[in-house]
Amino acid sequence: MASGNDPAIPLFDLRLSAADLAAVEATLRSGWLTMGPRVDAFESAFAAALGARHAVCVSSCTAALHLAYLGAGVGPGDEVIVPSVTFAATANAALYCGATPVFADIRGPHDPGIDPVQVASLIGPRTRAVCAVHFAGYPAAVDVLRELCRQHGIALIEDVAHAPMATLGGRSLGTIGLAGAFSFFSNKILSCGEGGLLLTDDDDVAALARRLRSQGMTSGTWSRHTGATDTYDASGLGYNYRLDEPRAALLHSRLERLPEDIDRRRELVRRYRSLLCGLDGLIVPFRDEDVATSACYVMPVLVADQERQGPLRRHLRENRSVQTSLFYPAVHEFSAYEKRFGEQSLPESERWARSELTIPLYPHMTVDQQDRVVEAIAEGLHR
Ligand SMILES: *Cc1c(COP(=O)(O)O)cnc(C)c1O
Protein backbone atom coordinates (compact mmCIF):
# COMPACT_ATOMS: atom_id res chain seq x y z
CA MET A 1 0.00 0.00 0.00
CA ALA A 2 1.21 3.50 -0.79
CA SER A 3 2.03 5.79 2.10
CA GLY A 4 2.05 9.46 2.93
CA ASN A 5 5.51 9.58 1.40
CA ASP A 6 4.19 9.12 -2.13
CA PRO A 7 4.90 12.05 -4.42
CA ALA A 8 2.01 14.44 -4.03
CA ILE A 9 -0.80 14.41 -6.56
CA PRO A 10 -1.85 18.02 -7.10
CA LEU A 11 -5.38 19.15 -7.80
CA PHE A 12 -4.23 20.86 -11.01
CA ASP A 13 -0.97 20.90 -12.85
CA LEU A 14 0.09 23.13 -15.70
CA ARG A 15 2.50 22.29 -18.52
CA LEU A 16 3.50 24.80 -21.14
CA SER A 17 5.04 23.71 -24.45
CA ALA A 18 8.18 25.08 -26.08
CA ALA A 19 5.90 26.81 -28.60
CA ASP A 20 4.03 28.55 -25.75
CA LEU A 21 7.27 29.87 -24.28
CA ALA A 22 8.54 30.97 -27.70
CA ALA A 23 5.30 32.88 -28.36
CA VAL A 24 5.69 34.79 -25.10
CA GLU A 25 9.38 35.49 -25.71
CA ALA A 26 8.72 36.80 -29.22
CA THR A 27 6.10 39.14 -27.74
CA LEU A 28 8.46 40.42 -25.07
CA ARG A 29 11.05 41.11 -27.79
CA SER A 30 8.51 42.87 -30.02
CA GLY A 31 8.52 46.12 -28.09
CA TRP A 32 4.70 46.29 -27.75
CA LEU A 33 3.40 44.89 -24.50
CA THR A 34 -0.28 45.59 -24.14
CA MET A 35 -3.49 45.74 -26.19
CA GLY A 36 -2.03 45.26 -29.66
CA PRO A 37 -1.94 42.78 -32.52
CA ARG A 38 -1.73 39.69 -30.28
CA VAL A 39 -4.83 40.63 -28.34
CA ASP A 40 -6.63 41.21 -31.66
CA ALA A 41 -5.42 37.90 -33.09
CA PHE A 42 -6.42 35.93 -30.02
CA GLU A 43 -9.85 37.56 -29.94
CA SER A 44 -10.45 36.58 -33.58
CA ALA A 45 -9.23 33.03 -33.03
CA PHE A 46 -11.34 32.54 -29.91
CA ALA A 47 -14.49 33.97 -31.50
CA ALA A 48 -13.99 31.73 -34.55
CA ALA A 49 -13.30 28.62 -32.45
CA LEU A 50 -16.53 29.11 -30.49
CA GLY A 51 -18.68 30.46 -33.29
CA ALA A 52 -19.41 33.93 -31.92
CA ARG A 53 -19.37 37.36 -33.56
CA HIS A 54 -17.30 39.18 -30.92
CA ALA A 55 -14.66 38.27 -28.37
CA VAL A 56 -13.36 41.03 -26.09
CA CYS A 57 -10.28 40.25 -23.99
CA VAL A 58 -10.27 41.64 -20.46
CA SER A 59 -8.13 41.30 -17.36
CA SER A 60 -10.25 38.62 -15.65
CA CYS A 61 -13.53 36.74 -15.79
CA THR A 62 -14.69 38.93 -12.93
CA ALA A 63 -14.19 41.96 -15.20
CA ALA A 64 -16.00 40.14 -18.03
CA LEU A 65 -18.95 39.41 -15.73
CA HIS A 66 -19.05 43.05 -14.62
CA LEU A 67 -19.08 44.26 -18.24
CA ALA A 68 -21.64 41.60 -19.22
CA TYR A 69 -24.00 42.76 -16.48
CA LEU A 70 -23.49 46.40 -17.51
CA GLY A 71 -24.16 45.32 -21.10
CA ALA A 72 -27.43 43.80 -19.91
CA GLY A 73 -28.36 47.18 -18.43
CA VAL A 74 -27.89 46.12 -14.80
CA GLY A 75 -27.69 49.16 -12.53
CA PRO A 76 -28.45 50.42 -9.03
CA GLY A 77 -31.62 48.92 -7.56
CA ASP A 78 -31.74 46.05 -10.04
CA GLU A 79 -31.54 42.35 -9.19
CA VAL A 80 -29.44 39.65 -10.82
CA ILE A 81 -30.39 36.03 -10.15
CA VAL A 82 -27.28 33.89 -9.57
CA PRO A 83 -26.44 30.47 -8.13
CA SER A 84 -24.77 30.24 -4.73
CA VAL A 85 -22.65 27.21 -5.67
CA THR A 86 -20.12 29.24 -7.63
CA PHE A 87 -17.05 31.37 -7.23
CA ALA A 88 -17.86 34.63 -5.42
CA ALA A 89 -17.18 36.66 -8.59
CA THR A 90 -20.52 35.66 -10.18
CA ALA A 91 -22.38 37.48 -7.39
CA ASN A 92 -19.78 40.16 -6.61
CA ALA A 93 -19.96 41.52 -10.15
CA ALA A 94 -23.67 42.28 -9.59
CA LEU A 95 -22.71 44.31 -6.50
CA TYR A 96 -20.17 46.28 -8.59
CA CYS A 97 -23.14 47.47 -10.67
CA GLY A 98 -25.00 48.60 -7.57
CA ALA A 99 -27.41 45.70 -8.03
CA THR A 100 -28.46 42.94 -5.62
CA PRO A 101 -27.54 39.32 -6.30
CA VAL A 102 -30.55 37.08 -5.61
CA PHE A 103 -29.54 33.48 -5.01
CA ALA A 104 -31.38 30.59 -6.61
CA ASP A 105 -30.81 27.01 -5.48
CA ILE A 106 -29.14 24.35 -7.63
CA ARG A 107 -30.95 21.34 -9.03
CA GLY A 108 -29.37 18.81 -6.65
CA PRO A 109 -26.41 16.54 -5.99
CA HIS A 110 -26.43 15.14 -9.53
CA ASP A 111 -26.66 18.54 -11.23
CA PRO A 112 -25.17 21.64 -9.57
CA GLY A 113 -26.57 23.92 -12.28
CA ILE A 114 -28.94 26.72 -11.27
CA ASP A 115 -32.53 25.39 -11.07
CA PRO A 116 -34.77 27.06 -13.69
CA VAL A 117 -37.88 26.39 -11.57
CA GLN A 118 -36.28 28.35 -8.72
CA VAL A 119 -35.21 31.08 -11.11
CA ALA A 120 -38.76 31.42 -12.44
CA SER A 121 -40.08 31.85 -8.89
CA LEU A 122 -37.54 34.60 -8.14
CA ILE A 123 -38.09 36.79 -11.20
CA GLY A 124 -39.71 40.06 -10.16
CA PRO A 125 -40.09 43.64 -11.36
CA ARG A 126 -36.47 44.49 -10.42
CA THR A 127 -34.87 41.46 -12.07
CA ARG A 128 -32.62 42.57 -14.90
CA ALA A 129 -30.56 39.45 -15.59
CA VAL A 130 -29.98 35.80 -14.74
CA CYS A 131 -26.47 34.35 -14.64
CA ALA A 132 -25.97 30.63 -15.19
CA VAL A 133 -22.69 28.93 -14.27
CA HIS A 134 -21.67 25.94 -16.36
CA PHE A 135 -20.31 24.07 -13.39
CA ALA A 136 -17.20 21.91 -13.93
CA GLY A 137 -17.65 22.37 -17.70
CA TYR A 138 -21.17 20.84 -17.94
CA PRO A 139 -23.99 22.94 -19.39
CA ALA A 140 -26.46 24.55 -17.02
CA ALA A 141 -30.05 24.50 -18.31
CA VAL A 142 -29.45 27.54 -20.52
CA ASP A 143 -31.88 26.32 -23.20
CA VAL A 144 -34.74 26.52 -20.69
CA LEU A 145 -33.37 29.69 -19.08
CA ARG A 146 -33.01 31.46 -22.39
CA GLU A 147 -36.68 30.98 -23.15
CA LEU A 148 -37.66 32.00 -19.61
CA CYS A 149 -35.55 35.18 -19.85
CA ARG A 150 -36.94 35.98 -23.28
CA GLN A 151 -40.51 35.75 -21.94
CA HIS A 152 -39.65 38.21 -19.16
CA GLY A 153 -37.55 40.57 -21.30
CA ILE A 154 -34.44 40.07 -19.18
CA ALA A 155 -30.92 39.02 -20.11
CA LEU A 156 -29.28 35.64 -19.70
CA ILE A 157 -25.57 35.86 -18.91
CA GLU A 158 -23.35 32.78 -18.94
CA ASP A 159 -20.46 32.35 -16.52
CA VAL A 160 -18.29 30.13 -18.72
CA ALA A 161 -15.19 30.20 -16.48
CA HIS A 162 -15.26 26.38 -16.35
CA ALA A 163 -16.43 25.60 -19.83
CA PRO A 164 -14.53 26.88 -22.86
CA MET A 165 -15.37 24.71 -25.90
CA ALA A 166 -18.15 22.81 -24.13
CA THR A 167 -21.43 22.62 -26.04
CA LEU A 168 -25.18 22.23 -25.62
CA GLY A 169 -27.18 21.00 -28.59
CA GLY A 170 -24.17 21.69 -30.83
CA ARG A 171 -23.76 25.32 -29.71
CA SER A 172 -20.76 26.54 -27.74
CA LEU A 173 -21.50 27.50 -24.18
CA GLY A 174 -21.07 31.24 -23.85
CA THR A 175 -22.95 31.90 -27.11
CA ILE A 176 -26.44 31.03 -25.88
CA GLY A 177 -27.15 34.00 -23.63
CA LEU A 178 -26.56 37.71 -24.29
CA ALA A 179 -22.90 37.32 -23.29
CA GLY A 180 -20.51 34.73 -21.90
CA ALA A 181 -17.69 35.45 -19.43
CA PHE A 182 -14.55 33.28 -19.63
CA SER A 183 -11.60 33.01 -17.23
CA PHE A 184 -7.95 32.45 -18.04
CA PHE A 185 -6.87 32.29 -14.40
CA SER A 186 -3.96 29.92 -13.66
CA ASN A 187 -5.97 26.86 -12.71
CA LYS A 188 -8.55 27.08 -15.50
CA ILE A 189 -8.52 24.92 -18.63
CA LEU A 190 -7.09 27.67 -20.83
CA SER A 191 -4.89 29.74 -18.55
CA CYS A 192 -2.35 32.53 -18.79
CA GLY A 193 -2.10 33.60 -15.13
CA GLU A 194 -4.75 36.32 -14.99
CA GLY A 195 -7.13 37.07 -17.84
CA GLY A 196 -10.68 36.87 -19.07
CA LEU A 197 -12.88 37.37 -22.10
CA LEU A 198 -16.39 38.50 -22.92
CA LEU A 199 -18.02 36.66 -25.81
CA THR A 200 -21.17 37.99 -27.47
CA ASP A 201 -23.10 38.14 -30.74
CA ASP A 202 -24.52 41.52 -29.74
CA ASP A 203 -22.75 44.45 -31.46
CA ASP A 204 -23.74 46.96 -28.78
CA VAL A 205 -22.61 44.80 -25.87
CA ALA A 206 -19.28 44.18 -27.61
CA ALA A 207 -18.78 47.90 -28.32
CA LEU A 208 -19.61 48.80 -24.72
CA ALA A 209 -17.17 46.18 -23.39
CA ARG A 210 -14.41 47.47 -25.70
CA ARG A 211 -14.88 51.02 -24.46
CA LEU A 212 -15.32 50.27 -20.76
CA ARG A 213 -12.29 47.98 -20.55
CA SER A 214 -10.13 51.05 -21.21
CA GLN A 215 -11.57 53.99 -19.26
CA GLY A 216 -14.50 54.50 -21.62
CA MET A 217 -12.17 55.67 -24.38
CA THR A 218 -13.32 55.54 -27.96
CA SER A 219 -9.94 54.43 -29.37
CA GLY A 220 -7.02 52.36 -28.07
CA THR A 221 -3.29 53.10 -27.90
CA TRP A 222 -2.61 50.62 -30.73
CA SER A 223 -4.91 52.37 -33.18
CA ARG A 224 -3.31 55.70 -32.23
CA HIS A 225 0.17 54.15 -32.55
CA THR A 226 -0.63 52.83 -36.01
CA GLY A 227 -2.15 56.14 -37.05
CA ALA A 228 -5.67 54.79 -37.46
CA THR A 229 -6.94 57.48 -35.06
CA ASP A 230 -5.22 60.42 -33.42
CA THR A 231 -7.53 61.39 -30.61
CA TYR A 232 -10.23 59.97 -28.39
CA ASP A 233 -13.27 60.82 -26.36
CA ALA A 234 -14.41 59.19 -23.11
CA SER A 235 -18.06 58.38 -23.56
CA GLY A 236 -18.76 56.95 -20.12
CA LEU A 237 -17.13 55.81 -16.89
CA GLY A 238 -14.77 52.96 -17.73
CA TYR A 239 -12.17 50.84 -16.00
CA ASN A 240 -8.72 49.45 -16.60
CA TYR A 241 -9.74 45.91 -17.57
CA ARG A 242 -7.14 45.53 -20.33
CA LEU A 243 -5.23 42.34 -21.18
CA ASP A 244 -1.55 42.52 -22.12
CA GLU A 245 0.18 41.12 -25.18
CA PRO A 246 2.35 38.36 -23.61
CA ARG A 247 -0.75 36.80 -22.07
CA ALA A 248 -2.67 37.04 -25.32
CA ALA A 249 0.24 35.36 -27.12
CA LEU A 250 0.32 32.57 -24.52
CA LEU A 251 -3.44 32.07 -24.79
CA HIS A 252 -3.33 31.96 -28.57
CA SER A 253 -0.57 29.39 -28.55
CA ARG A 254 -2.39 27.27 -25.96
CA LEU A 255 -5.76 27.56 -27.73
CA GLU A 256 -4.41 25.37 -30.52
CA ARG A 257 -3.86 22.46 -28.13
CA LEU A 258 -7.05 22.99 -26.13
CA PRO A 259 -9.20 20.42 -27.99
CA GLU A 260 -6.54 17.75 -27.35
CA ASP A 261 -6.31 18.72 -23.68
CA ILE A 262 -10.07 18.48 -23.33
CA ASP A 263 -10.14 15.06 -25.05
CA ARG A 264 -7.60 13.80 -22.56
CA ARG A 265 -9.64 15.27 -19.69
CA ARG A 266 -12.70 13.44 -21.00
CA GLU A 267 -10.84 10.13 -21.11
CA LEU A 268 -9.72 10.60 -17.53
CA VAL A 269 -13.21 11.59 -16.39
CA ARG A 270 -14.74 8.51 -18.06
CA ARG A 271 -12.20 6.35 -16.28
CA TYR A 272 -12.83 8.10 -12.95
CA ARG A 273 -16.57 7.55 -13.42
CA SER A 274 -16.17 3.85 -14.16
CA LEU A 275 -14.03 3.40 -11.04
CA LEU A 276 -15.96 5.66 -8.66
CA CYS A 277 -19.62 5.24 -9.56
CA GLY A 278 -19.88 1.90 -7.77
CA LEU A 279 -18.35 3.07 -4.48
CA ASP A 280 -20.73 2.86 -1.56
CA GLY A 281 -21.25 6.23 0.12
CA LEU A 282 -20.07 8.30 -2.85
CA ILE A 283 -22.20 10.32 -5.29
CA VAL A 284 -20.71 11.12 -8.70
CA PRO A 285 -22.59 14.07 -10.26
CA PHE A 286 -23.61 14.32 -13.94
CA ARG A 287 -24.22 11.37 -16.28
CA ASP A 288 -21.81 9.31 -18.39
CA GLU A 289 -23.35 10.70 -21.57
CA ASP A 290 -22.70 14.30 -20.45
CA VAL A 291 -18.93 13.86 -20.60
CA ALA A 292 -18.67 14.03 -24.41
CA THR A 293 -19.82 17.67 -24.55
CA SER A 294 -18.31 18.89 -21.28
CA ALA A 295 -14.99 20.73 -21.00
CA CYS A 296 -14.28 18.53 -17.93
CA TYR A 297 -12.64 21.31 -15.95
CA VAL A 298 -12.80 19.58 -12.58
CA MET A 299 -13.97 16.27 -11.14
CA PRO A 300 -16.43 16.85 -8.30
CA VAL A 301 -17.64 13.99 -6.08
CA LEU A 302 -19.96 14.10 -3.06
CA VAL A 303 -20.06 12.04 0.10
CA ALA A 304 -23.53 10.69 0.86
CA ASP A 305 -22.89 11.28 4.57
CA GLN A 306 -21.91 14.93 5.15
CA GLU A 307 -19.95 13.93 8.25
CA ARG A 308 -17.43 12.23 5.96
CA GLN A 309 -16.44 15.33 3.96
CA GLY A 310 -13.77 16.65 6.34
CA PRO A 311 -12.33 13.26 7.34
CA LEU A 312 -12.14 12.07 3.72
CA ARG A 313 -10.33 15.22 2.61
CA ARG A 314 -7.95 14.89 5.56
CA HIS A 315 -7.26 11.23 4.79
CA LEU A 316 -6.46 12.05 1.17
CA ARG A 317 -4.15 14.89 2.14
CA GLU A 318 -2.41 13.49 5.19
CA ASN A 319 -2.18 9.78 4.45
CA ARG A 320 -2.07 9.68 0.65
CA SER A 321 -0.70 13.11 -0.41
CA VAL A 322 -3.69 13.71 -2.66
CA GLN A 323 -4.72 17.34 -2.88
CA THR A 324 -8.44 18.14 -2.99
CA SER A 325 -10.48 21.30 -2.96
CA LEU A 326 -14.05 22.39 -2.23
CA PHE A 327 -15.94 23.81 -5.21
CA TYR A 328 -17.52 25.75 -3.57
CA PRO A 329 -18.46 27.05 -0.16
CA ALA A 330 -21.93 28.54 -0.77
CA VAL A 331 -21.64 32.26 -1.53
CA HIS A 332 -24.82 33.14 0.39
CA GLU A 333 -23.16 31.74 3.54
CA PHE A 334 -20.07 33.97 3.30
CA SER A 335 -19.96 36.42 6.21
CA ALA A 336 -19.89 39.42 3.87
CA TYR A 337 -23.13 38.23 2.27
CA GLU A 338 -24.83 37.19 5.52
CA LYS A 339 -24.01 40.57 7.05
CA ARG A 340 -25.48 42.41 4.08
CA PHE A 341 -28.45 40.23 3.12
CA GLY A 342 -29.15 38.16 6.27
CA GLU A 343 -29.40 34.39 6.46
CA GLN A 344 -31.03 32.66 3.53
CA SER A 345 -31.95 29.03 3.10
CA LEU A 346 -30.86 27.18 -0.04
CA PRO A 347 -30.99 23.53 1.02
CA GLU A 348 -29.49 21.93 -2.10
CA SER A 349 -26.65 24.46 -2.29
CA GLU A 350 -25.87 23.97 1.39
CA ARG A 351 -25.93 20.19 1.01
CA TRP A 352 -23.56 20.47 -1.97
CA ALA A 353 -21.17 22.74 -0.06
CA ARG A 354 -21.10 20.32 2.90
CA SER A 355 -20.55 17.14 0.91
CA GLU A 356 -18.49 18.01 -2.18
CA LEU A 357 -14.81 17.42 -2.77
CA THR A 358 -12.95 18.15 -5.98
CA ILE A 359 -10.33 15.55 -6.83
CA PRO A 360 -7.22 15.87 -9.03
CA LEU A 361 -7.62 16.24 -12.80
CA TYR A 362 -5.23 17.57 -15.45
CA PRO A 363 -4.47 16.43 -18.99
CA HIS A 364 -1.14 14.73 -18.24
CA MET A 365 -2.41 12.90 -15.15
CA THR A 366 -1.30 9.26 -15.35
CA VAL A 367 -3.45 6.16 -14.89
CA ASP A 368 -1.30 5.22 -11.89
CA GLN A 369 -1.96 8.58 -10.26
CA GLN A 370 -5.64 8.16 -10.95
CA ASP A 371 -5.65 4.69 -9.40
CA ARG A 372 -3.99 6.08 -6.30
CA VAL A 373 -6.67 8.76 -5.95
CA VAL A 374 -9.47 6.18 -6.37
CA GLU A 375 -7.87 3.76 -3.90
CA ALA A 376 -7.42 6.53 -1.37
CA ILE A 377 -11.08 7.56 -1.68
CA ALA A 378 -12.26 3.96 -1.27
CA GLU A 379 -10.20 3.63 1.93
CA GLY A 380 -11.08 7.04 3.28
CA LEU A 381 -14.85 6.75 2.83
CA HIS A 382 -15.22 4.22 5.60
CA ARG A 383 -12.42 4.99 8.00
C1 LIG B 1 -12.58 31.42 -11.72
C2 LIG B 1 -14.01 31.79 -11.78
C3 LIG B 1 -14.44 33.11 -11.90
C4 LIG B 1 -13.50 34.29 -11.83
O1 LIG B 1 -12.47 34.24 -12.72
P1 LIG B 1 -11.26 35.31 -12.61
O2 LIG B 1 -10.64 35.22 -13.95
O3 LIG B 1 -10.39 34.83 -11.50
O4 LIG B 1 -11.86 36.64 -12.33
C5 LIG B 1 -15.79 33.37 -12.04
N1 LIG B 1 -16.69 32.37 -12.02
C6 LIG B 1 -16.32 31.09 -11.86
C7 LIG B 1 -17.38 30.04 -11.87
C8 LIG B 1 -14.98 30.75 -11.72
O5 LIG B 1 -14.62 29.48 -11.55
Side-chain angles (χ1 to χ4, degrees), residues 9-313:
I9 303 179
L11 186 61
F12 305 105
D13 198 25
L14 174 64
R15 288 226 177 130
L16 300 178
S17 71
D20 296 338
L21 302 181
V24 174
E25 187 180 345
T27 308
L28 293 173
R29 290 183 189 286
S30 75
W32 191 268
L33 291 185
T34 195
M35 291 291 293
R38 275 131 183 131
V39 167
D40 284 350
F42 174 66
E43 287 179 344
S44 301
F46 196 85
L50 275 78
R53 279 171 64 79
H54 307 284
V56 182
C57 282
V58 288
S59 52
S60 68
C61 178
T62 308
L65 285 164
H66 183 191
L67 298 182
Y69 291 161
L70 291 175
V74 174
D78 290 337
E79 293 177 352
V80 180
I81 300 174
V82 297
S84 180
V85 177
T86 181
F87 189 60
T90 319
N92 286 348
L95 291 170
Y96 301 162
C97 303
T100 302
V102 172
F103 294 102
D105 214 348
I106 58 170
R107 286 173 141 180
H110 289 279
D111 179 356
I114 193 168
D115 182 352
V117 177
Q118 278 265 324
V119 172
S121 74
L122 292 169
I123 293 176
R126 286 145 58 110
T127 310
R128 189 54 76 107
V130 175
C131 185
V133 176
H134 299 297
F135 194 96
Y138 300 80
V142 278
D143 42 358
V144 180
L145 289 169
R146 189 161 87 136
E147 181 53 24
L148 182 68
C149 288
R150 196 192 58 75
Q151 283 166 11
H152 287 86
I154 59 180
L156 174 64
I157 303 298
E158 297 175 74
D159 180 335
V160 213
H162 297 185
M165 291 199 162
T167 57
L168 177 65
R171 287 185 67 173
S172 298
L173 301 185
T175 67
I176 293 163
L178 177 67
F182 292 82
S183 176
F184 307 129
F185 179 67
S186 315
N187 69 13
K188 301 288 160 74
I189 286 181
L190 178 63
S191 58
C192 67
E194 299 282 357
L197 183 144
L198 180 146
L199 195 72
T200 185
D201 283 337
D202 187 293
D203 298 347
D204 295 334
V205 171
L208 184 78
R210 285 187 189 285
R211 281 199 309 276
L212 296 193
R213 76 175 159 182
S214 195
Q215 312 293 356
M217 296 190 303
T218 50
S219 75
T221 39
W222 180 251
S223 69
R224 293 195 298 279
H225 175 72
T226 54
T229 52
D230 55 11
T231 185
Y232 61 88
D233 182 30
S235 54
L237 178 64
Y239 310 90
N240 177 355
Y241 283 168
R242 295 184 298 264
L243 187 74
D244 61 29
E245 290 277 286
R247 281 170 226 218
L250 179 56
L251 289 167
H252 200 162
S253 175
R254 298 197 65 207
L255 181 64
E256 284 161 30
R257 269 197 336 277
L258 185 60
E260 264 168 66
D261 282 357
I262 293 176
D263 279 346
R264 180 62 189 143
R265 287 174 175 277
R266 287 178 182 150
E267 278 172 36
L268 289 162
V269 167
R270 286 195 187 94
R271 190 162 183 278
Y272 257 145
R273 296 186 67 86
S274 72
L275 295 168
L276 292 171
C277 281
L279 288 186
D280 200 25
L282 197 73
I283 299 166
V284 182
F286 309 108
R287 299 166 309 171
D288 290 344
E289 59 266 36
D290 299 333
V291 176
T293 52
S294 168
C296 294
Y297 165 50
V298 285
M299 181 73 199
V301 294
L302 279 68
V303 286
D305 171 6
Q306 292 182 10
E307 302 296 309
R308 306 299 311 156
Q309 187 194 40
L312 178 57
R313 288 193 66 194

Side-chain angles (χ1 to χ4, degrees), residues 312-376:
L312 178 57
R313 288 193 66 194
R314 254 190 317 280
H315 170 70
L316 290 170
R317 182 177 66 243
E318 287 168 13
N319 304 329
R320 302 301 299 266
S321 305
V322 172
Q323 190 191 359
T324 64
S325 183
L326 167 56
F327 277 55
Y328 291 99
V331 177
H332 74 282
E333 296 192 298
F334 283 141
S335 53
Y337 277 84
E338 281 196 350
K339 243 184 262 156
R340 197 151 166 179
F341 302 108
E343 278 186 32
Q344 304 171 59
S345 167
L346 297 164
E348 292 297 345
S349 301
E350 288 156 28
R351 173 173 170 196
W352 180 278
R354 303 202 209 320
S355 51
E356 198 267 354
L357 57 155
T358 302
I359 62 176
L361 180 67
Y362 41 90
H364 52 279
M365 185 177 200
T366 66
V367 165
D368 287 348
Q369 287 174 319
Q370 209 178 16
D371 286 341
R372 233 179 81 203
V373 174
V374 172
E375 225 180 82

